[in-house]
């Protein structure tokens, strides 16, 4: 008989973790809805034709693939076995587990575009699965919380994402955070300007290290990454941007000759302007022209959120993509979205001790069970407590009180009602506060009034 | 470019369905917690060693198996290819998708038995996956809602399941239902008594048809199923049970010589007794000695719930099992549980038109967007609505009003605020009730007071 174990990179969530995670999910969901996003859920697995080729070569590898049911090998010939596992996979597997929430969303939009009210604002809170090597903070099953708007290119959507983050994060207790914002068009403009078209990626990776390694080392790295001396010279203004009094003005002075770059700056300025018009006081937003994520799909705004004061990566990211559904044959649907990383947010709240107390959904009161008579008395009390909306239980067995109290303790039940012969005689039951140890005699109605 | 499609037997859930499903989930969850059950979530996939052999030969076939990551075929030899797909599967797949919530629960109990507060009351609401042939009402991905208590054999748990169902179902709107109850020991007693040990399954299948095909045909079927003439003669009292004034007394008179059978009757009587002591008025419970489900694992109570007046199978089932964790090397942990079928409950609520109105989590009010000036005015109003807890959005583009109202209509948004030059001048905005068409001019504060 083998000891059972969890599959590598997966977790059980017990009551305490569930309560904490639900605090996060419920908060996020409430604000998603406050902003007009509607819920969507898609299946755990999709046809591989939907998933493959959407996440690059590495993503294809990291997709969990489901073996075809029944005799998957019956139609295979000897040559199929010898072709290598990649072509073989396509012959014995047709389905894969959801890798993110964006591609299933795009699939849903394409399949339902005749009936969806556009612009379509949806949120989706579901697990995704990746066959990554598990390590601290990286799991093979984890939740994503996404909100996206598709079918409009209004920059109001970008501004609303900023406001949404400023509602959700403080409500979770995270008050010290930074929303970094960039625009893909600015990156394209810079690359064009320095004669390094299409090299936005390596450019940003290097510049991003400025604070850590200094200007000289960044320039060395750029040389190593194949940037010409001339490109690096032309890049000089980027190092002064963060110190500029008006970074937008500095950017405009620098990128004036790049139409794309100037459009990016204009979009960024409009987001700042709309955030201001929406009345957000002291927005925690920061222009970061080195912010580069999702370069293969983001075409406008790029977002990333860091919780300050903790050594935990970004807790949220997103951006605008102009061709979400193009891969499914429906081009021209622009959208913008944000994704919140629940596991990282959980770690931040744990590290900063920000989870509210008493978040468990546990029983509020337990009735003790001394003997058959007290048990039957308890049976008559129990439904009254529940009818009053109180989570209540009666210990099912007549065992030693210590064992019953120990149970209540381990389950974090704050109150225990002791029912003995005195109590049954007088109708005044002993309410024990498990935290303070205080006991007092109260009628059932008074107990309800006290703890409801 | 191929048109994308859903994997066979799976579904997307859009906003309207999500709202309805969440009404069901939230109701069930609330009462699970009211009764002291705590939440647990387990991973979507488990090691196949945990899942295989737990659901019978057919279950093993219906498990979705995940292909090992990377070059799964590298260590295979030619003979492996020729052995047939079953042994081959075990060489290229180590994980499978959750088939039910019970086996992962048992795995969790075994792995955590040192730290769990026993008796352990957990609920679990998660999807499961089965490679069944999809058909109407049967999906390859569907949710189960389970509540189980393990670590006690107190019949209070059985009685509480009855009460739980009487709380949940009426709260969902289902008032006409029947909780059928049987006890495995009664079935064993009957089989023993008529000299047909171990044949409880075919026995019940045949007797269950009494109402439909009559006594004579049932006896013919029993003969076909291999029951002796003597067995069938001894079985006679079973046909009169449902008409008996006191079915428990009739059962006791009949099963007196079977110790196991008598214990089953005593357990059933105690459940009835406890339900009464718990104060449940007019319990919708019915003794059904032909109720036979889960015969391979249930050892005590057996439950099944039917919604009356609809042609939909059972909406809930459960029972007591004495050896949940024995398969993982930890015998002797008794438990009892109930599982609610969300898809069937959904169908019942649809068919009987029982879903509450206005269950959508949609936006409550949309601000129109005539032009840039009105848009900017809307920007200043929007945060006030949201701060008051109202789900609100501002139409992102300045397009024709008809298009904006059409959007609000399709999204079931009940109120639209029209902002034109009059409104901006006076500060009194036009609140349009989308259902009645009524319009009135109100200040932002009055709008909040009206619709919050």
């Amino acid at each position: 008989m083998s000891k059972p174990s969890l599959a590598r990179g997966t977790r059980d969530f017990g009551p305490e973790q569930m309560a904490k995670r639900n605090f996060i999910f419920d908060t996020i969901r409430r604000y998603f809805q406050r902003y007009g996003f509607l819920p969507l859920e898609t299946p755990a697995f999709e046809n591989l034709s939907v998933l493959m080729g959407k996440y690059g070569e590495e993503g294809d590898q990291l997709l969990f693939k489901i073996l075809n049911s029944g005799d998957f090998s019956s139609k295979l010939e000897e040559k199929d076995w010898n072709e290598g596992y990649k072509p073989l996979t396509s012959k014995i597997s047709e389905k894969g587990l959801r890798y993110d929430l964006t591609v299933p969303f795009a699939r849903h939009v394409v399949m339902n575009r005749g009936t969806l009210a556009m612009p379509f604002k949806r949120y989706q809170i579901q697990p995704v699965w990746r066959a990554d090597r598990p390590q601290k903070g990286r799991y093979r099953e984890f939740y994503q919380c996404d909100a996206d708007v598709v079918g409009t290119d209004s920059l109001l959507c970008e501004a609303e994402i900023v406001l949404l983050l400023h509602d959700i994060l403080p409500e979770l207790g995270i008050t010290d955070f930074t929303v970094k914002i960039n625009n893909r068009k600015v990156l394209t403009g810079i690359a064009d300007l320095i004669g390094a078209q299409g090299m936005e990626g390596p450019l940003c990776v290097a510049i991003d290290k400025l604070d850590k390694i200094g200007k000289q080392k960044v320039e060395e790295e750029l040389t190593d990454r194949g940037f010409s001396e001339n490109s690096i010279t032309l890049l000089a203004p980027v190092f002064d941007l963060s110190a500029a009094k008006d970074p937008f003005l500095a950017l405009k002075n620098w990128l004036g000759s790049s139409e794309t770059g100037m459009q990016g700056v204009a979009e960024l300025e409009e987001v700042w302007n709309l955030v201001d018009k929406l009345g957000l006081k002291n927005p925690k937003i920061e222009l970061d022209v080195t912010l580069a994520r999702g370069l293969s799909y983001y075409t406008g705004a790029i977002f990333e959120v860091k919780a300050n004061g903790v050594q935990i990566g970004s807790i949220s990211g997103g951006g605008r993509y102009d061709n979400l559904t193009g891969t499914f044959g429906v081009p021209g649907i622009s959208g913008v979205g944000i994704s919140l990383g629940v596991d990282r947010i959980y770690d931040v709240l744990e590290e900063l001790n920000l989870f509210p107390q008493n978040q468990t959904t546990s029983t509020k009161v337990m009735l003790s069970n001394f003997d058959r008579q007290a048990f039957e008395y308890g049976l008559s009390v129990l439904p009254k407590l529940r009818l009053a909306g109180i989570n209540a239980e009666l210990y099912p067995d007549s065992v030693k009180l210590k064992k019953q109290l120990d149970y209540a303790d381990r389950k974090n039940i704050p109150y225990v009602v002791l029912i003995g012969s005195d109590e049954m005689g007088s109708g005044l039951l002993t309410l024990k506060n498990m935290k303070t140890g205080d006991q007092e005699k109260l009628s059932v109605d008074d107990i309800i009034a006290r703890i409801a």
Side-chain angles (χ1 to χ4, degrees), chain A:
Chain A
M1 203 77 72
S2 66
K3 268 194 192 164
S5 62
L6 282 159
R8 230 158 57 92
T10 69
R11 298 161 287 174
D12 285 341
F13 297 108
E16 203 183 322
Q17 292 152 304
M18 283 290 292
K20 289 177 174 176
R21 289 169 65 86
N22 282 338
F23 165 69
I24 299 174
F25 288 135
D26 291 345
T27 304
I28 292 173
R29 188 180 295 116
R30 188 164 70 249
Y31 282 102
F32 280 175
Q33 290 174 183
R34 186 78 46 87
Y35 279 70
F37 294 92
L38 297 179
L40 172 71
E41 283 189 8
T42 65
F45 53 76
E46 298 272 354
N47 291 318
L48 279 178
S49 55
V50 166
L51 301 177
M52 293 287 280
K54 307 301 189 299
Y55 308 106
E57 176 83 11
E58 199 199 344
D60 284 353
Q61 285 300 305
L62 297 184
L63 283 168
F64 280 111
K65 295 164 193 88
I66 296 172
L67 200 55
N68 292 343
S69 306
D71 187 354
F72 60 88
S73 68
S74 66
K75 285 179 190 157
L76 292 179
E77 298 169 24
E78 192 165 335
K79 69 171 175 57
D80 295 319
W81 300 120
N82 297 319
E83 269 182 319
Y85 76 98
K86 286 186 193 180
L88 184 55
T89 299
S90 67
K91 294 189 173 100
I92 61 177
S93 169
E94 285 165 2
K95 293 182 289 290
L97 293 183
R98 189 168 54 216
Y99 181 88
D100 72 359
L101 303 179
T102 309
V103 168
F105 170 52
R107 195 255 315 133
H108 178 84
V109 169
V110 168
M111 286 178 65
N112 299 279
R113 65 191 183 284
T115 56
L116 290 177
M118 288 284 190
F120 181 46
K121 301 176 80 167
R122 86 87 174 79
Y123 74 84
Q124 197 169 347
I125 299 180
Q126 289 192 280
V128 301
W129 298 272
R130 297 183 185 177
D132 247 324
R133 190 178 300 273
Q135 57 186 53
K136 189 177 179 312
R138 190 204 281 162
Y139 305 98
R140 291 183 150 191
E141 173 180 74
F142 58 96
Y143 267 77
Q144 291 191 335
C145 302
D146 284 19
D148 290 80
V149 196
V150 295
T152 172
D153 54 12
S154 168
L155 292 167
L156 172 62
C157 306
E158 275 84 343
E160 293 226 276
I161 284 175
V162 171
L163 264 85
L164 186 58
L165 291 164
H166 281 73
D167 270 337
I168 290 173
L169 296 176
E171 188 78 9
L172 291 171
I174 303 174
T175 50
D176 188 8
F177 63 91
T178 305
V179 181
K180 294 183 176 183
I181 310 181
N182 197 7
N183 190 296
R184 174 58 190 276
K185 291 169 184 139
V186 169
L187 290 176
T188 304
I190 295 175
D192 287 356
L193 201 79
I194 67 169
Q197 282 84 352
M199 291 177 73
E200 295 96 322
L203 183 66
C204 291
V205 170
I207 305 178
D208 187 41
K209 295 180 184 165
L210 184 62
D211 288 348
K212 280 187 208 137
I213 62 178
K215 186 178 169 185
Q216 197 185 331
K217 293 249 183 221
V218 167
E219 290 181 345
E220 283 170 25
E221 180 165 338
L222 286 167
T223 306
D224 292 347
R225 286 176 180 270
F227 288 83
S228 70
E229 205 177 316
N230 187 42
S231 289
I232 295 172
T233 306
L234 288 167
L235 192 62
V238 90
F239 299 113
D240 304 322
L241 276 178
S242 61
K245 208 169 154 192
D246 182 345
F248 291 119
L249 186 64
L251 259 185
K252 278 188 277 193
N253 287 336
W254 185 32
L255 298 179
S257 65
S258 162
E259 198 182 325
T260 305
M262 288 301 275
Q263 198 189 329
V265 180
E267 288 182 10
L268 284 166
E269 275 194 298
E270 173 70 352
V271 172
W272 255 254
N273 173 39
L274 292 172
V275 165
D276 182 56
K277 287 237 161 38
L278 281 162
L280 185 63
K281 303 275 176 271
N282 306 315
K284 300 169 198 296
I285 50 179
E286 184 183 301
L287 172 67
D288 180 356
V289 295
T290 71
L291 177 61
R293 50 185 293 156
L295 290 182
S296 60
Y297 40 91
Y298 289 145
T299 51
I302 305 175
F303 299 103
E304 189 170 272
V305 186
K306 269 281 300 168
N308 300 321
V310 284
Q311 291 299 323
I312 291 170
S314 65
I315 55 177
S316 177
R320 178 173 287 277
Y321 37 80
D322 278 343
N323 200 20
L324 176 69
T325 55
T327 177
F328 296 120
V330 180
I333 299 183
S334 181
V336 58
I338 191 82
S339 182
L340 289 146
V342 171
D343 288 298
R344 291 224 178 130
I345 290 174
Y346 188 101
D347 289 346
V348 170
L349 298 193
E350 277 290 19
E351 189 165 329
L352 299 178
N353 203 17
L354 291 173
F355 277 113
Q357 298 299 305
N358 305 316
Q359 266 300 308
T360 70
T361 47
S362 185
T363 303
K364 193 76 172 276
V365 59
M366 184 193 84
L367 307 180
S368 67
N369 180 345
F370 285 125
D371 53 25
R372 180 75 195 186
Q373 201 191 345
F375 171 71
E376 295 201 356
Y377 195 96
L379 290 175
S380 69
V381 175
L382 187 58
K384 292 177 188 159
L385 296 168
R386 289 179 180 157
L387 195 62
I390 297 168
N391 295 352
E393 56 188 294
L394 168 57
Y395 196 86
D397 303 294
S398 299
V399 295
K400 279 188 184 151
L401 183 61
K402 189 184 170 311
K403 194 172 175 186
Q404 299 185 36
L405 293 178
D406 183 51
Y407 169 84
D409 219 33
R410 291 174 75 171
K411 215 170 158 175
N412 283 319
I413 299 175
Y415 296 100
V416 169
V417 172
L418 303 172
I419 304 175
S421 47
D422 281 4
E423 283 83 355
M424 288 186 276
S426 66
L428 295 178
L429 312 183
T430 301
L431 180 69
K432 183 183 176 76
N433 181 319
M434 290 295 283
K435 201 166 176 183
T436 63
D438 292 349
Q439 298 192 176
E440 52 184 327
K441 298 219 169 189
L442 297 168
S443 69
V444 174
D445 285 347
D446 287 343
I447 287 174
I448 290 171
R450 178 68 54 92
I451 70 178

